[in-house]
Amino acid sequence: MSDESFISIKNISKHFGDVRACDDITFDIRRGEFFALLGPSGCGKTTLLRMLAGFETPTMGEIFIDGQPMAAIPPYERPVNMVFQSYAIFPHLSVAQNIGFGLRKDKLSKAEMDKKVDEALDLIAMAGYGGRGADELSGGQRQRVALARALIKKPKVLLLDEPLGALDKKLREQMQLELRDLQREVGITFVFVTHDQEEALTMSDRIAVMRDGKALEIDGPVDLYEKPKTPFCADFLGTMNFFEGSIDAIGGGEATVKTTEVGTIKSTGPNMNFSTGDAVSAAIRPENMKISFDKPTSGSFMEGKVRASAFLGDRAHVYINVEGRKDPVLTAMQNMGGAASRVGGDDHTVWLTWSDESVILLPQE
Amino acid sequence: MSDHMNETKNIMKKKKILPVGHFRGLGAWTFAFFIYLYVPIVVLVFYSFNSNRMVMNWEGFGISWYLKAFSNNNIQQAVLNSLIVATVATACATAIATIGALVLARGGSFKGKTLSLGLITLPLMVPEIVTAVAVLIFFSSIGMNLGLGNVIIAHITFCIPFAFMPIRARLEGMDTTLEQAARDLYATEWETFRFVTVPLLMPGIVAGAMLAFVISLDDFIITLMVGGAGSTTLPVYIYSMIRRGLTPEVNAISTVLLFFSIAIVTAYWIVSKKSQTKTVH
Ligand SMILES: Nc1ncnc2c1ncn2[C@@H]1O[C@H](COP(=O)(O)OP(=O)(O)O)[C@@H](O)[C@H]1O
Ligand SMILES: [Mg+2]
């Protein structure tokens, strides 16, 4: 089977009564990649993961792993292992027994088994912890034990359901990097569920953005962020200023949008497959809108008044009221050399500038 | 049962409760209450060490009545019967209760599930005398007369709900993802049951068994009705002794029974307490 479609999800639906937890999902996951399922709570991420693991049977559709159809294969025969959201560490077993649980069937000698468990403990930097009880572990350690336990059988695929959700912020950031390194080290395909967009962007090779049981967009983090194709995705990954309107003219990699609130906006960005008259949004990321204290003499700009600013240390968010527009426009600036302090007080008149390349055309919802 | 008690305790802890401790005279009332509750038992235990043959005439400390009770053949036989009945009834009732709890907690939803649950726990509320009469009529109408066997069967019946409750409580509180994790780690359903479900359920099973054992050991009414000659258990024998006249021997054997029961209830309490702290993570 090709490495491109190592895991193949074909028209998968899962209904619970009237709830369509997954609704006709089709995409492929490549061999050896770190793949994230990203979406708000309740969008069907866990359900999809559980179908990969074999704990739920699809209502419709088929799943292939390494070319093998999974329909008739129970969880304990699938070449996958899962790290559960709650870690599911067996409380009646020691750390070593937890990690060695999957080896039970392998008919290893005691020495071979110990060796494998020790290797796994080394992998998660917990050498010497084998004799501990499950209730003597911190949150981060439980998470690592769950990882080691799932990896010890060297599955083809490791499934992780919000593995960092229960950890505090500092530890989570540290574990993001560790998990990434671990995946590179073992070379196993990771399919990872999260509702945290930053986590997905930091860790993944590719991301599937899900909403209401559907996979909306699948792409690498940079492309998803810079060239989203749906307003939902544009908004869910980071923040976005939307200027709604309709296409006034389009062609030659250039379009003008007649917006309902702020006049016309020109775009030379991605998504040029619209025609004149289509209802669209011209979308610009806050960090692509720069504040100027003098009226620009060229390029695209709009005038506004500072409404409020939020100082975040390394950067600042500034909200600008623009005449004719209901919601303020959000800009983000780096606080280099104390730049944020020069924005001035409220009602200070400023100009917002941007490059036409950074204007993304999106269909309206 | 103790799960239930702890739950109410927790609820009371969370709510801001009326500071009744400040009411005057409450301490005295509490004291009176405990006297009311325990004085008869203390008196019973006290006179079991009397060396006089009249119960109420204190003569001096002695354990002669214990020695007498232990060497009484009838008491020995009654104790043996009690232990046989309690052991067999506990084993059977606990096994049945475990299977029942598993079906009810893990069997998905099926028709009559709530009804089954109600039917299992209802015997706790049926007056014992009613159960006793019912069982007696049942045995005589089918002409069953197995001596001790009849007693055992009757005991299994009323022990099941007592064994059932802690097992079910334990099962309900159990994280099902642990079983899924086992299946994910290549354990078949049977292996999952054997290596994950049963060990995790064990504190509940042990607690249920101990409760059933005490209930069986202490039962009087049903045993009296169902048991014929030759199947006398200790409580029934103690009752017959009293009818022949009170001697400190009755006190002595009652005291032994009391402390045996207390020991088991304490063990039950420790087990269920331990299992509770274990489930928290
Ligand atoms: N076993 C189930 N029975 C009924 N509904 C379920 C079940 N599992 C999930 N759902 C529903 O399916 C939807 C998707 O759930 P889930 O996959 O857990 O979402 P996510 O992991 O993205 O938060 C939710 O509306 C949820 O209530
Ligand atoms: Mg989930």
Side-chain angles (χ1 to χ4, degrees):
Chain A
M1 203 62 216
S2 84
D3 285 354
E4 275 295 304
S5 48
F6 182 58
I7 300 175
S8 199
I9 297 165
K10 291 207 163 109
N11 305 101
I12 284 289
S13 291
K14 177 71 189 180
H15 301 170
F16 296 106
D18 287 342
V19 179
R20 293 176 176 221
C22 292
D23 191 8
D24 196 14
I25 295 176
T26 301
F27 64 83
D28 289 348
I29 296 172
R30 297 173 189 149
R31 186 193 294 271
E33 82 177 332
F34 200 122
F35 192 93
L37 300 173
L38 173 68
S41 179
C43 71
K45 308 179 295 287
T46 298
T47 306
L48 184 58
L49 203 69
R50 287 169 60 81
M51 285 192 280
L52 289 172
F55 294 124
E56 305 282 1
T57 322
T59 311
M60 271 174 284
E62 269 187 299
I63 292 171
F64 297 84
I65 296 177
D66 208 6
Q68 202 187 0
M70 287 291 122
I73 302 183
Y76 56 86
E77 282 172 9
R78 293 195 182 198
V80 305
N81 280 122
M82 185 152 169
V83 175
F84 290 81
Q85 205 161 358
S86 55
Y87 308 147
I89 304 290
F90 302 125
H92 58 298
L93 301 180
S94 69
V95 167
Q97 286 170 323
N98 261 284
I99 293 177
F101 194 90
L103 300 175
R104 223 174 250 284
K105 287 254 181 75
D106 293 1
K107 303 208 169 63
L108 298 174
S109 72
K110 176 101 179 49
E112 285 170 311
M113 181 117 164
D114 288 348
K115 187 162 161 280
K116 284 205 166 189
V117 170
D118 284 344
E119 278 169 14
L121 282 167
D122 273 343
L123 187 69
I124 55 168
M126 277 180 68
Y129 279 79
R132 295 259 182 125
D135 47 359
E136 296 168 67
L137 301 178
S138 70
Q141 289 171 336
R142 299 175 76 85
Q143 205 265 349
R144 283 172 219 227
V145 171
L147 266 172
R149 187 177 71 177
L151 283 171
I152 200 160
K153 288 280 285 184
K154 306 222 163 28
K156 288 181 178 169
V157 182
L158 187 71
L159 307 171
L160 306 104
D161 191 357
E162 312 234 5
L164 308 179
L167 308 179
D168 59 51
K169 192 167 180 292
K170 268 260 152 55
L171 191 56
R172 197 160 64 223
E173 281 166 5
Q174 181 198 335
M175 285 305 294
Q176 285 175 4
L177 296 178
E178 281 186 23
L179 208 54
R180 185 72 248 225
D181 290 346
L182 184 71
Q183 192 263 343
R184 296 238 168 93
E185 198 177 325
V186 295
I188 290 169
T189 309
F190 276 33
V191 182
F192 164 87
V193 159
T194 181
H195 65 267
D196 181 336
Q197 43 112 354
E198 237 169 84
E199 200 166 285
L201 289 175
T202 321
M203 300 169 74
S204 335
D205 293 317
R206 288 197 307 152
I207 302 170
V209 179
M210 292 181 61
R211 182 177 65 161
D212 295 341
K214 286 191 157 53
L216 287 185
E217 292 186 45
I218 295 137
D219 222 331
V222 175
D223 283 343
L224 266 185
Y225 187 80
E226 289 180 352
K227 298 171 195 162
K229 293 183 178 60
T230 58
F232 176 79
C233 192
D235 201 33
F236 195 74
L237 282 163
T239 39
M240 189 66 102
N241 292 302
F242 292 101
F243 300 93
E244 294 186 349
S246 59
I247 302 269
D248 203 30
I250 191 160
E254 207 179 288
T256 44
V257 177
K258 199 173 161 159
T259 71
T260 52
E261 292 178 327
V262 295
T264 58
I265 291 179
K266 201 167 127 190
S267 168
T268 57
N271 307 347
M272 283 295 153
N273 46 344
F274 293 99
S275 26
T276 310
D278 282 356
V280 293
S281 292
I284 313 176
R285 295 262 180 221
E287 68 271 22
N288 289 331
M289 300 195 93
K290 301 210 165 48
I291 293 175
S292 164
F293 298 103
D294 308 307
K295 186 167 179 172
T297 49
S298 64
S300 300
F301 60 87
M302 65 176 75
E303 189 184 324
K305 283 192 162 76
V306 176
R307 178 170 156 197
S309 55
F311 179 61
L312 301 171
D314 57 336
R315 71 214 136 95
H317 285 172
V318 186
Y319 296 84
I320 312 280
N321 274 334
V322 174
E323 197 167 315
R325 186 175 156 91
K326 197 165 106 257
D327 301 322
V329 174
L330 176 63
T331 67
M333 63 192 292
Q334 291 299 316
N335 185 22
M336 251 163 39
S341 61
R342 287 200 300 275
V343 171
D346 298 354
D347 278 345
H348 197 85
T349 299
V350 292
W351 284 266
L352 294 172
T353 65
W354 63 90
S355 90
D356 297 340
E357 261 177 321
S358 68
V359 179
I360 306 161
L361 296 188
L362 295 168
Q364 278 182 21
E365 289 261 270
Chain B
M1 261 173 128
S2 88
D3 286 355
H4 199 78
M5 260 146 59
N6 273 315
E7 213 175 277
T8 24
K9 234 187 348 205
N10 286 341
I11 290 169
M12 278 165 55
K13 242 188 246 159
K14 270 178 212 146
K15 280 189 195 160
K16 196 113 186 96
I17 53 165
L18 190 67
V20 280
H22 297 307
F23 291 168
R24 278 152 131 240
L26 194 78
W29 273 110
T30 314
F31 189 65
F33 171 72
F34 279 115
I35 289 197
Y36 174 75
L37 211 57
Y38 285 105
V39 157
I41 294 173
V42 171
V43 169
L44 170 104
V45 174
F46 181 74
Y47 280 105
S48 72
F49 294 104
N50 193 354
S51 52
N52 194 301
R53 63 168 298 106
M54 298 304 291
V55 173
M56 288 304 176
N57 291 349
W58 181 256
E59 190 178 282
F61 182 85
I63 55 163
S64 56
W65 293 108
Y66 282 88
L67 297 175
K68 186 149 192 279
F70 288 141
S71 57
N72 180 331
N73 279 337
N74 289 330
I75 289 181
Q76 284 172 358
Q77 187 57 48
V79 168
L80 189 63
N81 282 349
S82 272
L83 290 179
I84 291 171
V85 170
T87 309
V88 178
T90 298
C92 295
T94 310
I96 295 169
T98 306
I99 293 166
L102 278 169
V103 170
L104 282 172
R106 295 292 154 80
S109 60
F110 56 89
K111 229 175 160 181
K113 184 171 169 173
T114 322
L115 186 69
S116 318
L117 192 61
L119 285 178
I120 286 191
T121 45
L122 188 68
L124 295 176
M125 273 150 276
V126 173
E128 209 184 338
I129 187 73
V130 175
T131 314
V133 172
V135 174
L136 184 64
I137 294 175
F138 176 74
F139 282 144
S140 65
S141 70
I142 64 166
M144 193 162 117
N145 192 2
L146 302 173
L148 214 51
N150 279 17
V151 178
I152 290 172
I153 290 169
H155 277 227
I156 292 172
T157 318
F158 69 79
C159 281
I160 288 172
F162 288 96
F164 176 80
M165 286 193 312
I167 298 173
R168 175 164 182 272
R170 177 83 191 159
L171 206 52
E172 297 275 302
M174 223 160 91
D175 186 359
T176 52
T177 55
L178 291 173
E179 285 157 336
Q180 286 177 7
R183 302 233 284 136
D184 184 62
L185 294 164
Y186 316 104
T188 60
E189 298 204 15
W190 166 246
E191 288 165 334
T192 303
F193 181 72
R194 167 79 185 71
F195 296 117
V196 176
T197 315
V198 171
L200 289 174
L201 197 53
M202 207 32 105
I205 295 175
V206 172
M210 285 194 282
L211 208 55
F213 193 84
V214 172
I215 297 292
S216 165
L217 200 64
D218 295 352
D219 180 74
F220 172 67
I221 301 177
I222 293 176
T223 317
L224 180 72
M225 294 277 224
V226 176
S231 51
T232 306
T233 62
L234 191 57
V236 175
Y237 185 74
I238 291 173
Y239 177 69
S240 69
M241 278 170 88
I242 292 170
R243 287 203 302 189
R244 275 182 266 125
L246 271 176
T247 62
E249 195 180 356
V250 174
N251 292 32
I253 196 65
S254 301
T255 303
V256 172
L257 187 59
L258 173 73
F259 283 104
F260 193 58
S261 293
I262 288 177
I264 295 173
V265 171
T266 310
Y268 160 78
W269 188 75
I270 291 169
V271 167
S272 55
K273 180 126 184 171
K274 222 186 192 161
S275 74
Q276 255 174 17
T277 51
K278 268 265 164 116
T279 41
V280 182
H281 59 239

